[in-house]
Amino acid sequence: MHGASWSIGIRIFEGVGKGAMRIDVVTLFPELIENCLRSGVVGRAQERGLLAVRTWNPRDFATDSHRTVDDRPCGGGPGMVMMIGPLQAALERAQDGDGPVRTVYLSPQGVRLTQAKVAQFARGPRLVLLCGRYEGVDERLLAHAVDEEVSIGDYVLSGGELAAAVLIDAIGRLQDGALNDAQSAEQDSFSDGLLDCPHYTRPVRGALGDVPPVLLSGDHAAIRRWRRKQALGRTWLRRPDLLARTELDAESRRLLDEFRREHEAARDQTEAGTRPD
């Protein structure tokens, strides 16, 4: 019988809110997706009816008794290639429904996933994610049924499921009401093109050091400036490529210059302390 993997699908769809975003995942391993999304922010978003995730297994759409979904590559070579037939049928069922839908293939050949791209996906009502396995998917299906390919990094995974879970997690936390504190998403790394600032909690003093005094001052303006300066400085030190693409206002430029001066002074002091007499 053709159909979705219902172990989480029924529970989610029964409690879905009217404006919930729907994400369908075509995968040979639905349990891998489902297990990744049961807990944390994404699990809470589903329980609150903010996000609906449904999985579709291409094997359920295979036409032979062995539920075959792959075959040898034309032209020879190692591995197997996912066949058009079962994937196309699964995709058509996943794409079925009201409203526009965007279909994404998780692939190392795709564009690099960024926070801006995540935000773009999160604004849409529906998304279908196609997870490849083996040597990949027949190119004709990708050209016919996929809107774009997305990569989570320049490395190789066994399949697209973990990449899909990463994308769903990133999208889920941007749904209104998914986070207990709405400002959390606004302060995340990459939300404004920068890395996040350092964070501290109690105890304020310890063997590993003390919490910066400004965070204990109660001066909210000073705390904001410190956090902004640290975010700018951390991005300058660790991801200058991000900083080069970010347009800074006058205050941010001043804070970055201040961080650079402080960093260089601390470095000079450290070097001076290690020089032999």
Side-chain angles (χ1 to χ4, degrees):
M1 177 179 176
H2 292 178
S5 297
W6 291 102
S7 58
I8 62 169
I10 289 179
R11 179 177 63 83
I12 293 171
F13 271 70
E14 286 179 347
V16 163
K18 190 173 182 180
M21 181 177 185
R22 173 178 163 182
I23 301 178
D24 293 77
V25 186
V26 176
T27 168
L28 291 175
F29 297 94
E31 67 280 0
L32 183 55
I33 294 291
E34 294 160 6
N35 288 335
C36 285
L37 303 179
R38 290 186 190 279
S39 306
V41 172
V42 175
R44 186 164 61 242
Q46 293 174 91
E47 291 172 356
R48 292 176 177 176
L50 306 173
L51 182 69
V53 181
R54 191 174 184 179
T55 57
W56 303 84
N57 192 336
R59 291 195 186 279
D60 294 338
F61 299 87
T63 56
D64 67 323
S65 59
H66 298 290
R67 304 176 76 204
T68 305
V69 296
D70 60 323
D71 205 341
R72 295 177 180 177
C74 294
M80 305 290 278
V81 176
M82 297 185 75
M83 300 161 57
I84 291 176
L87 282 180
Q88 186 173 24
L91 276 173
E92 288 174 353
R93 286 293 299 275
Q95 293 166 339
D96 189 29
D98 297 330
V101 57
R102 190 155 191 82
T103 301
V104 175
Y105 176 48
L106 285 310
S107 160
Q109 288 85 32
V111 299
R112 182 74 67 87
L113 182 65
T114 64
Q115 188 65 22
K117 192 69 172 174
V118 170
Q120 177 186 334
F121 287 142
R123 288 192 292 269
R126 290 196 56 203
L127 194 64
V128 172
L129 304 180
L130 172 59
C131 302
R133 280 273 161 174
Y134 313 122
E135 293 301 310
V137 173
D138 191 301
E139 188 68 23
R140 292 168 293 178
L141 179 70
L142 299 180
H144 173 79
V146 168
D147 295 306
E148 63 181 302
E149 299 184 27
V150 170
S151 168
I152 64 169
D154 296 336
Y155 48 88
V156 179
L157 298 172
S158 300
E161 286 77 15
L162 292 178
V166 166
L167 178 54
I168 295 170
D169 187 281
I171 290 172
R173 62 185 294 106
L174 294 185
Q175 302 304 306
D176 288 341
L179 300 176
N180 290 328
D181 186 342
Q183 290 186 333
S184 293
E186 298 174 6
Q187 295 177 0
D188 283 341
S189 289
F190 308 113
S191 60
D192 58 356
L194 303 175
L195 300 182
D196 198 5
C197 65
H199 296 280
Y200 300 85
T201 188
R202 293 176 291 185
V204 298
R205 293 181 176 83
L208 300 183
D210 299 341
V211 173
V214 64
L215 298 179
L216 308 173
S217 68
D219 186 336
H220 296 294
I223 292 171
R224 182 195 65 80
R225 287 193 299 272
W226 182 88
R227 286 176 169 163
R228 181 67 175 175
K229 181 170 72 172
Q230 297 303 314
L232 289 161
R234 180 171 283 190
T235 307
W236 171 64
L237 290 171
R238 302 182 183 183
R239 291 292 304 275
D241 58 307
L242 293 177
L243 198 59
R245 298 196 297 266
T246 303
E247 185 175 347
L248 302 180
D249 57 22
E251 181 190 23
S252 294
R253 289 194 297 270
R254 287 194 300 270
L255 290 172
L256 179 56
D257 288 341
E258 183 178 322
F259 180 94
R260 285 170 170 160
R261 290 193 300 269
E262 293 173 355
H263 176 76
E264 291 167 0
R267 182 187 60 191
D268 292 343
Q269 184 177 2
T270 299
E271 291 176 353
T274 57
R275 292 188 189 121
D277 294 335

